[in-house]
Amino acid sequence: MASTERLYEVWMLYCNKKDPDYLKLWLEIFVSSYEKCLDVDFEKPPTRLEEVPPVMSLLPDNILQVLRHQLLQCVQKVSDGLEEEQQTLALLLVKFLIVVCRNLSNVEEIGTCSYINHVITMTTLYIQQLKSKTKEKELEDQTPAEEFVRHALTFCESLYDPYRNWRHRASGELVSAVEKSRQKFKAAPLTLEFIPFFYQCFQESEHLKESLKCCLLHLFGAIVAGSQRNALLAISPATMEVLMRVLADCDTLDNQDCQDLTHKAQLTLKCLTEVVQMLLASSSDQRQVEISTILENYFKLLNSDPAALTVRSKSRQWENCFVALQIQMLNTITEMFDCSDRPVLQAIFLNSNCFEHLIRLLQNSKVRLICQFCG
């Protein structure tokens, strides 16, 4: 790790000269000392930290105020396009926030500041740029925008799932209720900006990279797994509409995208499993959405007529992908029942006419097989 003396020296230079280059240098030194804390790949299990970042009280007294001012300046300029130096500074600011949040005692303080709303504002603008398809965009290097988005989503994860419960579960590790009850530090309160942000990201998103969509889904899963309070805020009609739309995304599927669809579907189904189990553990007055409503839409999609999903002609590979999705959805039902209140969930499924839906699925599959055989 860089010496404390060096960090102190650079900070004093910044305070005396007010030169942004010294602030940038200070951030670079600090962040480089804790590179492993960044851990922006949602697909990998969480890494164990060899060295925990310092608590905020050991950092310069006015560091949060200074960084908030710099971040606000970046927000004000991002819609007109940040210069390269400003892009670098904005990314460093977010990296710093990720690092300090890896000391879980800092999460509450960072979460109650305005950083998260500034970061979401910038991320929204960057995602809008990445969703648009223009000749200018094709010529431009989109790497800085993508890198900022990935780090911004990781910062959100650091606030809302500080113990990385979702990453553990997504990688197949079980986080028991007992383990979760022993987690000393709480997730930061979810910002009200999250639901409109999440919803807008998936509007007209056909040109947004599938890997970024998966990062957004991972973040949603992290929020639901991170705390019941935040989960019940995040599980709303708008976010459930997004998850169902993502599952039904096969109407825009090209042959070469089948693998991407499979991974995205698996991730969305894991989110829905987490949602159902979280709702099951809550009282009716806490919920914005009922499990029965989710199941109604779920079975509707499960029994969709492939011919009605798109006007595009289908290839055999497309049909195979659609059947694979149905199989994944059936397997997910089994996973939903891996919960403490299994009899209650069974009753909800029965009241949702699950057997009628499954019988209809078998009938539709039989008809499809006959049509394929005759064709």
Side-chain angles (χ1 to χ4, degrees), residues 308-322:
L309 285 178
T310 178
V311 295
R312 186 183 303 172
S313 60
K314 315 290 190 309
S315 67
R316 180 58 57 86
Q317 183 182 2
W318 186 95
E319 291 186 4
N320 290 341
C321 285
F322 183 77

Side-chain angles (χ1 to χ4, degrees), residues 44-298:
K44 292 182 179 179
T47 55
R48 185 178 296 276
L49 299 182
E50 297 174 359
E51 188 172 12
V52 178
V55 295
M56 294 306 305
S57 60
L58 296 179
L59 295 175
D61 290 340
N62 59 337
I63 181 70
L64 292 182
Q65 182 181 352
V66 169
L67 298 186
R68 187 185 300 113
H69 176 70
Q70 294 294 328
L71 190 57
L72 182 57
Q73 285 189 323
C74 291
V75 170
Q76 292 168 343
K77 296 176 182 177
V78 70
S79 58
D80 297 325
L82 292 178
E83 297 176 2
E84 187 175 343
E85 286 186 5
Q86 292 170 321
Q87 288 180 340
T88 303
L89 178 59
L91 181 60
L92 276 171
L93 291 168
V94 174
K95 286 182 176 181
F96 169 83
L97 293 171
I98 295 171
V99 169
V100 295
C101 283
R102 296 311 295 137
N103 184 318
L104 304 190
S105 63
N106 294 329
V107 167
E108 183 179 2
E109 184 174 359
I110 298 298
T112 54
C113 296
S114 57
Y115 294 111
I116 182 61
N117 291 336
H118 293 332
V119 170
I120 283 181
T121 299
M122 288 190 67
T123 307
T124 301
L125 291 168
Y126 274 128
I127 286 181
Q128 290 299 332
Q129 293 175 20
L130 293 168
K131 286 198 296 186
S132 64
K133 188 173 185 181
T134 62
K135 290 182 179 179
E136 291 79 6
K137 177 187 168 184
E138 291 173 0
L139 295 173
E140 289 177 5
D141 180 12
Q142 297 297 316
T143 304
E146 288 182 22
E147 191 175 8
F148 182 90
V149 169
R150 292 180 192 279
H151 282 83
L153 299 180
T154 303
F155 169 51
C156 293
E157 179 204 26
S158 300
L159 287 179
Y160 302 132
D161 188 17
Y163 286 93
R164 301 294 204 261
N165 291 328
W166 171 256
R167 288 206 200 195
H168 284 294
R169 294 181 195 182
S171 62
E173 298 178 41
L174 179 64
V175 181
S176 68
V178 174
E179 286 179 279
K180 202 167 180 181
S181 69
R182 292 174 180 165
Q183 294 175 351
K184 177 181 175 183
F185 298 101
K186 304 300 181 185
L190 183 67
T191 174
L192 297 177
E193 301 296 323
F194 173 73
I195 292 177
F197 162 73
F198 185 74
Y199 187 84
Q200 284 298 323
C201 285
F202 285 92
Q203 296 297 301
E204 299 177 356
S205 60
E206 56 270 18
H207 300 306
L208 186 64
K209 280 188 175 181
E210 293 298 299
S211 60
L212 290 178
K213 292 179 186 177
C214 286
C215 288
L216 286 160
L217 292 168
H218 273 297
L219 174 57
F220 180 81
I223 291 171
V224 176
S227 81
Q228 185 185 50
R229 175 193 59 197
N230 287 340
L232 294 173
L233 289 172
I235 300 169
S236 69
T239 55
M240 291 304 96
E241 179 188 327
V242 168
L243 295 187
M244 290 301 174
R245 197 187 319 133
V246 170
L247 275 184
D249 207 20
C250 48
D251 63 338
T252 59
L253 175 67
D254 293 323
N255 289 342
Q256 65 268 25
D257 294 329
C258 192
Q259 187 173 355
D260 287 339
L261 173 82
T262 301
H263 178 62
K264 190 169 63 175
Q266 287 174 340
L267 192 50
T268 308
L269 290 169
K270 284 180 180 178
C271 286
L272 283 170
T273 301
E274 195 77 25
V275 163
V276 167
Q277 293 179 350
M278 183 60 73
L279 291 177
L280 193 63
S282 66
S283 58
S284 58
D285 61 319
Q286 294 176 303
R287 299 192 286 265
Q288 301 181 66
V289 180
E290 294 297 330
I291 296 175
S292 57
T293 303
I294 295 173
L295 292 181
E296 180 183 350
N297 293 322
Y298 193 85

